[in-house]
Amino acid sequence: SVPLKDKDGRDTTFKLYGGYRFDERFSLEAGYARLGTLGATAGLAGGDVRQEGRGQSLYAVGAARLLMNGPFALSGRLGIARNKVSGSNLLSAADSLQGSRTSAVWGLGAEYKLSDKLSLTADYDNYGKLSDRVKASSFTVGLRSSF
């Protein structure tokens, strides 16, 4: 295996999901997350080779909420994700960033209820391995609409 150097993977994450809330404490969610671009340089005898990729995840989780005083709630999520890295590669398959994996996904979040139908959210999600050589996690801030 070729050692990687100059790894980078900070980018904007986009997450779209939906679900069903059984009550104020438990829900099921499924979604898609585009985890941005990533890259790494591998040092070879003939020089450095740069690989780049895009991470994505399809996931399903069970979520539990802890209602706090007032409009605040904390949440935890646990489930499964089908992850993938696609992009350019000039290295052997064993050294590639590309590939796909099924991994456990987990997350923690906070919610501030603006109204009965709208909340501000802040979430940390760990998607596990996207491929044999790539792991991903994200921090997102968003709006949640309920109907």
Side-chain angles (χ1 to χ4, degrees), residues 66-146:
L66 174 62
L67 303 174
M68 309 297 282
N69 290 337
F72 291 99
L74 300 176
S75 63
R77 291 174 297 287
L78 182 62
I80 192 162
R82 183 63 180 163
N83 303 317
K84 181 179 179 180
V85 176
S86 57
S88 65
N89 177 50
L90 300 173
L91 300 174
S92 69
D95 295 317
S96 174
L97 298 177
Q98 295 179 17
S100 59
R101 293 282 299 262
T102 300
S103 295
V105 61
W106 62 271
L108 301 171
E111 177 181 335
Y112 180 79
K113 198 172 198 178
L114 298 170
S115 70
D116 286 341
K117 304 281 184 196
L118 194 62
S119 300
L120 287 173
T121 62
D123 294 316
Y124 171 81
D125 293 298
N126 185 307
Y127 296 93
K129 286 193 148 202
L130 301 187
S131 68
D132 288 339
R133 297 192 78 173
V134 177
K135 296 178 191 175
S137 61
S138 69
F139 177 76
T140 56
V141 176
L143 287 172
R144 176 179 295 134
S145 176
S146 303

Side-chain angles (χ1 to χ4, degrees), residues 16-30:
L16 181 64
Y17 62 95
Y20 182 77
R21 185 173 284 170
F22 294 99
D23 58 32
E24 285 297 313
R25 290 184 166 65
F26 184 73
S27 63
L28 292 177
E29 299 173 4

